[in-house]
Amino acid sequence: MDQFETDAATPPPPPPPAGTPSKDERQWAMFAHLSALLGGLLTSAFGGWGFFLGPLVIWLMKKDEMPFVADQAKEALNFNITVSAIFLLLVIFTVLTIGIGALLTVPVALVVGITALVLVIMAAIKANEGVAYRYPLTIRLVK
């Protein structure tokens, strides 16, 4: 049997049902969520503003061709804008209180950071399973 011939006993896999994201879409959606972590790590020396850069790039690249990816990238983008805004408010509060507010803001920042990490990982797993994930307590600025 030639290497390009298929065995007649094993039919090709069926196409995914209508409405189910393809493997490629699920993978891109997972990358949209995980790219926030990478962006945050790469820009942490500059204040961590890159949390929303990865989801933004993926959303702009795939919004017209992959609806599931567009939805999940927007969700990741909105969540990471919300988290970045929370961190910015914590920094402003610390500065306005001349550093004394750090007694409050540092523990809050740790809780927000760990919660965000857990939620991003959960979202990436759900997106890879083909399930549209919705982050809790997210301001949805990008519609």
Side-chain angles (χ1 to χ4, degrees), residues 20-37:
T20 303
S22 68
K23 181 180 178 185
D24 197 33
E25 285 180 299
R26 293 191 320 260
Q27 193 170 32
W28 273 104
M30 179 184 68
F31 291 152
H33 292 290
L34 293 177
S35 67
L37 298 177

Side-chain angles (χ1 to χ4, degrees), residues 27-76:
Q27 193 170 32
W28 273 104
M30 179 184 68
F31 291 152
H33 292 290
L34 293 177
S35 67
L37 298 177
L38 180 63
L41 287 174
L42 293 177
T43 63
S44 62
F46 305 106
W49 55 268
F51 283 109
F52 54 87
L53 194 59
L56 175 63
V57 169
I58 291 176
W59 177 61
L60 290 173
M61 285 175 30
K62 300 294 181 180
K63 68 180 180 178
D64 295 328
E65 58 189 83
M66 295 180 172
F68 180 69
V69 175
D71 174 64
Q72 290 302 288
K74 279 193 298 189
E75 189 67 19

Side-chain angles (χ1 to χ4, degrees), residues 46-115:
F46 305 106
W49 55 268
F51 283 109
F52 54 87
L53 194 59
L56 175 63
V57 169
I58 291 176
W59 177 61
L60 290 173
M61 285 175 30
K62 300 294 181 180
K63 68 180 180 178
D64 295 328
E65 58 189 83
M66 295 180 172
F68 180 69
V69 175
D71 174 64
Q72 290 302 288
K74 279 193 298 189
E75 189 67 19
L77 179 60
N78 284 323
F79 176 70
N80 287 292
I81 289 171
T82 303
V83 170
S84 295
I86 291 170
F87 281 127
L88 179 63
L89 290 174
L90 291 173
V91 167
I92 291 171
F93 182 76
T94 303
V95 170
L96 289 177
T97 60
I98 313 169
I100 297 170
L103 293 172
L104 175 68
T105 58
V106 169
V108 170
L110 284 172
V111 169
V112 169
I114 291 169
T115 303

